[in-house]
Amino acid sequence: MENFGETALRKTIVKYKKNEGGCRTGRHWSSRVLRLLLLLAALLLIAIAGTNMVVYHTASTHIYTSDFPEPPVDCILVLGAGVTDSKEPSPMLKERLDEAVNLYDKQIAQKIIVSGDHHRTEYDEVNVMKAYLKNAGIPDDAIFMDHAGLSTYDSVYRAKEIFQVKSAAMVTQQYHLYRAVYLARALGIDAYGVPCDRQQFAGSFMRQCREVLARTKDSIIAVYQPEASIMGDAIPVSGSGSQTNDKD
């Protein structure tokens, strides 16, 4: 007959073995979940890297860092990049506008579209851009303002559908140019890119990182080609840019 001490010891051993089995099962499931998460992370990284390679290689053959070898295009498309509190183009935007003037003077196109954010009355990129170009000698009727260029995709989509652009020289910094040209060509615009880089700006690394994710996002959007956030009546770029004026 077992005494009390032996009975208690036996129960403790049985309880320990049960707990050990439960811990092993828990560790097994934790290991499976971890492996699944690692697999999903690897697949995500492969997808991001793959889409970036497609965007880069598709657009790179249509980007020119020296003389623009193509025949004249419908327009020069300048993508917005912010304005200062004093209603002046940001340094990055000024680079884009200066390159647009350079291309216009070389007769690459007779029309310029400035596309940026003006969906709020207190913030207006496009009138600042147009004023800068006019001060540089570009005629008023040669400058079209896209007041609803809220994103790169919206700017490209509206260039095609609202301004009826069939060919364009796109102007922005080179890191951004691959995505812009890729989107334009995916939407059916015969687009060429002209980088405007003249200096290195602070925050370049973070912009590059964001651009990697943006290329992935926009490469997916380019497959479905939804309408831009804001649409409107057609304003053919073959007409007068004064049609887009909203101020005297």
Side-chain angles (χ1 to χ4, degrees):
M1 184 174 180
E2 295 179 337
N3 59 35
F4 177 77
E6 291 174 339
T7 302
L9 178 61
R10 188 182 298 276
K11 289 181 178 179
T12 300
I13 293 171
V14 170
K15 184 177 180 180
Y16 172 78
K17 288 182 176 180
K18 287 182 177 180
N19 289 340
E20 186 181 42
C23 290
R24 286 177 179 173
T25 302
R27 286 196 297 270
H28 175 70
W29 280 104
S30 296
S31 177
R32 291 184 64 181
V33 169
L34 179 60
R35 287 197 297 270
L36 178 60
L37 291 175
L38 290 173
L39 176 61
L40 291 175
L43 291 174
L44 179 61
L45 289 174
I46 291 171
I48 291 173
T51 53
N52 271 262
M53 288 178 63
V54 169
V55 170
Y56 179 86
H57 288 293
T58 300
S60 59
T61 56
H62 305 290
I63 292 175
Y64 301 107
T65 57
S66 55
D67 291 337
F68 192 82
E70 305 299 331
V73 292
D74 291 345
C75 72
I76 299 160
L77 177 57
V78 185
L79 302 173
V83 297
T84 66
D85 292 339
S86 58
K87 309 302 182 186
E88 295 291 331
S90 66
M92 288 186 70
L93 182 54
K94 184 178 181 297
E95 281 194 345
R96 301 180 188 187
L97 294 168
D98 288 339
E99 184 58 40
V101 172
N102 178 49
L103 293 175
Y104 181 88
D105 289 342
K106 291 181 177 179
Q107 300 184 339
I108 299 304
Q110 296 300 309
K111 304 294 173 62
I112 300 175
I113 297 177
V114 291
S115 183
D117 186 351
H118 187 202
H119 76 293
R120 296 169 291 158
T121 56
E122 68 274 14
Y123 185 76
D124 181 358
E125 289 183 353
V126 291
N127 274 288
V128 170
M129 295 164 77
K130 181 161 189 172
Y132 186 91
L133 291 176
K134 288 177 66 177
N135 288 336
I138 309 298
D140 181 87
D141 65 356
I143 307 168
F144 287 74
M145 290 186 290
D146 176 8
H147 299 266
L150 308 183
S151 68
T152 302
Y153 179 81
D154 282 3
S155 293
V156 171
Y157 190 95
R158 285 173 56 83
K160 180 187 177 186
E161 298 297 333
I162 301 297
F163 298 100
Q164 300 183 359
V165 172
K166 293 181 173 58
S167 60
M170 306 186 72
V171 179
T172 182
Q173 278 73 26
Q174 188 152 0
Y175 81 93
H176 180 210
L177 203 52
Y178 299 102
R179 176 163 59 103
V181 170
Y182 177 86
L183 282 173
R185 299 191 76 87
L187 267 62
I189 298 175
D190 191 16
Y192 305 92
V194 181
C196 61
D197 304 77
R198 290 174 172 79
Q199 61 177 305
Q200 185 77 15
F201 294 101
S204 174
F205 176 75
M206 290 304 300
R207 281 191 294 273
Q208 293 279 3
C209 291
R210 288 195 298 268
E211 189 65 17
V212 167
L213 298 177
R215 287 175 193 150
T216 303
K217 172 181 68 69
D218 279 356
S219 66
I220 296 171
I221 292 175
V223 173
Y224 298 98
Q225 299 185 10
E227 284 193 345
S229 303
I230 300 173
M231 295 296 290
D233 296 333
I235 309 173
V237 76
S238 56
S240 171
S242 61
Q243 298 176 78
T244 64
N245 291 348
D246 63 329
K247 297 180 180 180
D248 294 335

